[in-house]
């Protein structure tokens, strides 16, 4: 029997949930789901100056939109302060941590000496208790910090599930502060207590945390805790190979919603950012969970590629159920101040356009033409609704007034009009499109007429006759 897999996503609510964070969340979530484990959401809000309730909400919204549901939490570190303080007391009692009264001035002087000797600046352990060592007398009125007794010998190593074996000599690590003078625990310490208390078995996180891992492992060992496995995900770079910026897509996950992406397209896209399953590019969330493993995560940086995301989005829009798309389009139209009920049923409109839209906003642009009284620009009218074209539309309108409102009959009416006026298909169809939808390009005109409906088509045509 192996232990139940327990993973966590532990964002700091200092900004929105961006694409890098979302990928970390996805991989942690998928690993738990793949192994019938537990996925925990933990909000690391101890940086009170930078954490905001809006950012917490943005993270929760983003996770919900992506469908990355958690089984436990959200836990908030600010609500766990008593627990961290208890553990600090236990460590002081056990001798794995100690009070340090070194002042800022003393630390500055120490640093200057070390730099002068070309040494790496580090705390020198002057307050660290040791057998036979006499400690200085604590100065009056100074609140001490608490430092961790980092092992002085040997090294700390782990087999990173993405990066392979990493080993750091303990001589590189000094006795880091676990509680500040005001008693508040520090970031690296809270993470350790949480991972321990929450029984985390695999820590999956960005590789900007690799440097924290040796310290965290040492504290876990000092606490007698089981050390989890670690998987450090490489960065996501922009398409030009530089750090991902807003320009490349380092925007809030919810911005993708605003920009008309379906969550399953974003999930499928993120899944392939640094992970692969053979040559598979398009797969469902269920397939992803079934296939996901940490062995196929590349240790090199992944590159963001907007075209690929757009391509996936177009694919998922094509696949999506019309009722769902109609709902998405309706809310987008309403946000623009367009009444989504003013046109034909949106299900039939999206069915006409879903094969050619690369995002939901394009679908809404098309649907808007069915809901509002379109007013094509003057040049468009002048170019396409010439006298000859209007004459053809006049005889077409007469035919349409008596036509059965189905594609074959509508097609026949157009063909009869072409024959009567000696015109080719585009010479009738393009002016017709401009007259009824305001644009020269649309899906097949008979289908457009059928969906738009007889009353609307005749009313719109009438304006030009
Ligand atoms: N709170 C950290 C961050 O937002 C993550 C810490 C962790 O995963 O251990 O980057």
């Amino acid at each position: 029997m192996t232990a139940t897999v327990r993973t966590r996503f532990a964002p700091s609510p200092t900004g929105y949930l961006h694409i890098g964070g979302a990928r970390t969340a996805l991989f942690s979530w998928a690993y738990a789901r793949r192994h019938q484990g537990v996925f925990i959401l933990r909000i690391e809000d101890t940086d009170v100056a930078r954490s905001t309730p809006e950012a917490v909400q943005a993270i929760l919204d983003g996770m919900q939109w992506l469908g990355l549901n958690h089984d436990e939490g959200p836990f908030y570190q600010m609500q766990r302060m008593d627990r961290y303080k208890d553990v600090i007391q236990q460590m002081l009692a056990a001798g794995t941590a100690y009070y340090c009264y070194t002042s800022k001035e003393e630390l500055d002087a120490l640093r200057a000496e070390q730099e002068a000797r070309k040494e790496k600046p580090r705390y020198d352990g002057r307050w660290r208790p040791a057998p036979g060592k006499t400690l200085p007398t604590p100065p009056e009125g100074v609140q001490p910090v608490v430092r961790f007794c980092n092992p002085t010998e040997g090294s700390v190593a782990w087999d990173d599930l993405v990066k392979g074996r990493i080993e750091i000599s303990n001589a590189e690590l000094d006795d880091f502060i676990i509680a500040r003078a005001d008693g508040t625990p520090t970031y690296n310490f809270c993470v350790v207590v949480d991972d321990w208390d929450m029984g985390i078995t695999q820590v999956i996180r960005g590789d900007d945390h690799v440097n924290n891992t040796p310290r965290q492992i040492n504290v876990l060992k000092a606490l007698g805790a089981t050390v989890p496995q670690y998987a450090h995900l490489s960065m996501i770079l922009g398409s030009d190979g530089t750090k991902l910026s807003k320009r490349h897509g380092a925007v809030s996950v919810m911005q993708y919603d605003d920009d008309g992406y379906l969550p399953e397209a974003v999930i499928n896209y993120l899944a392939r950012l640094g992970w692969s399953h053979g040559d598979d590019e398009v797969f469902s969330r269920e397939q992803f969970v079934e296939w996901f493993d940490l062995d196929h995560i590349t240790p090199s940086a992944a590159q963001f590629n907007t075209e690929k995301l757009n391509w996936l989005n177009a694919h998922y829009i094509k696949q999506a159920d019309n009722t769902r798309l109609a709902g998405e389009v309706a809310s987008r139209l309403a946000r623009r101040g367009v009444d989504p009920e003013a046109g034909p049923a949106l299900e039939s409109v999206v069915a006409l356009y879903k094969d050619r839209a690369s995002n939901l906003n394009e679908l809404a642009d098309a649907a808007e033409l069915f809901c509002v009284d379109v007013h094509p620009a003057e040049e468009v009218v002048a170019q396409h609704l010439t006298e000859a074209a209007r004459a053809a539309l006049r005889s077409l309108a007469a035919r349409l007034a008596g036509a059965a409102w189905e594609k074959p009959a509508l097609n026949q009416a157009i063909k009869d009009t072409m024959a009567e006026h000696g015109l080719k298909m585009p010479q009738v169809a393009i002016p017709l499109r401009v007259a009824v939808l305001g644009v020269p390009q649309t899906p097949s005109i008979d289908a457009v007429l059928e969906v738009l409906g007889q009353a609307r088509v005749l009313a719109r045509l009438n304006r030009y006759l």
Side-chain angles (χ1 to χ4, degrees), residues 8-14 18 21 24 28 42-45 59 77 187-188 191-192 195 203-206 208-209 212-213 216 230 232:
R8 75 336 185 250
F9 176 51
S12 304
T14 53
H18 56 77
T24 302
S28 299
R42 180 167 89 213
I43 305 292
E44 302 202 323
D45 54 354
I59 291 165
Q77 287 187 324
Y187 168 74
N188 265 317
V191 170
V192 166
D195 285 342
V203 170
I204 301 170
R205 62 184 173 197
D208 46 333
H209 290 283
N212 292 328
T213 306
Q216 294 180 3
Y230 291 88
H232 287 99

Side-chain angles (χ1 to χ4, degrees), residues 150-157 167-173 218 221:
N150 198 75
T152 48
E153 309 278 308
S155 62
V156 48
E167 185 164 356
I168 308 289
S169 164
N170 276 318
E172 296 280 316
L173 307 168
N218 280 340
K221 284 186 175 159

Side-chain angles (χ1 to χ4, degrees), residues 139-421:
E140 290 271 325
V142 173
Q143 285 299 318
V145 299
V146 178
R147 288 186 184 267
F148 170 59
C149 277
N150 198 75
T152 48
E153 309 278 308
S155 62
V156 48
W158 76 97
D159 291 308
D160 196 276
L161 298 171
V162 175
K163 294 184 179 292
R165 190 161 182 84
I166 300 181
E167 185 164 356
I168 308 289
S169 164
N170 276 318
E172 296 280 316
L173 307 168
D174 60 4
D175 289 351
F176 76 103
I177 296 173
I178 58 174
R180 299 181 190 89
D182 66 2
T184 56
T186 57
Y187 168 74
N188 265 317
F189 185 72
C190 300
V191 170
V192 166
V193 176
D194 286 351
D195 285 342
W196 180 33
D197 284 356
M198 294 169 196
I200 302 303
T201 51
Q202 281 79 22
V203 170
I204 301 170
R205 62 184 173 197
D207 69 0
D208 46 333
H209 290 283
V210 168
N211 290 339
N212 292 328
T213 306
R215 296 180 192 285
Q216 294 180 3
I217 291 178
N218 280 340
V219 178
L220 284 163
K221 284 186 175 159
L223 290 168
T226 309
V227 177
Q229 291 183 299
Y230 291 88
H232 287 99
L233 309 175
S234 297
M235 290 182 56
I236 301 174
L237 300 177
S239 45
D240 53 2
T242 62
K243 192 174 179 299
L244 194 65
S245 67
K246 281 199 178 158
R247 187 166 52 85
H248 297 115
V251 294
S252 159
V253 161
M254 297 315 288
Q255 183 68 43
Y256 287 89
D257 180 23
D258 287 351
D259 291 348
Y261 291 92
L262 286 173
E264 59 266 44
V266 176
I267 289 281
N268 191 159
Y269 179 71
L270 289 177
R272 284 286 288 104
L273 265 184
W275 174 84
S276 57
H277 181 265
D279 292 332
D280 291 305
E281 289 292 353
V282 182
F283 41 82
S284 67
R285 179 187 297 262
E286 291 70 30
Q287 275 171 324
F288 176 53
V289 166
E290 202 184 309
W291 293 336
F292 184 66
D293 59 1
L294 298 170
D295 301 340
H296 290 89
I297 294 182
T298 159
S300 51
Q303 274 202 348
F304 197 85
N305 178 341
T306 307
E307 279 100 77
K308 191 164 151 192
L309 172 60
N310 290 345
W311 176 79
L312 279 168
N313 201 43
H315 166 81
Y316 282 104
I317 288 176
K318 237 178 255 168
Q319 305 282 306
D321 173 71
N322 291 342
T323 309
R324 176 181 172 208
L325 292 177
E328 282 291 342
V329 165
S331 54
R332 279 160 213 273
L333 290 177
R335 262 182 266 152
R336 299 176 185 184
V338 172
D339 176 7
E341 309 270 322
L346 288 176
E347 280 80 358
S348 48
V349 180
V350 298
L352 270 187
Y353 284 88
K354 67 198 277 195
D355 284 357
R356 49 173 73 201
S358 68
N359 66 63
L360 297 170
N361 292 333
E362 281 178 26
L363 215 47
D365 292 344
E368 186 172 337
L369 304 178
F370 288 71
C371 298
V372 300
D373 204 10
V374 288
H375 295 287
E378 250 174 63
E379 348 36 289
V380 178
V381 174
Q383 186 189 345
H384 297 288
L385 293 168
T386 56
E387 261 323 303
R390 287 174 199 241
L393 292 184
R394 262 193 295 278
S395 39
L396 176 65
R399 288 189 174 89
L400 292 179
W405 212 256
E406 277 164 3
K407 272 195 286 187
L410 300 172
N411 229 329
Q412 196 55 53
I414 294 169
K415 289 214 171 106
D416 292 347
T417 306
M418 284 158 52
E420 183 192 340
H421 292 260

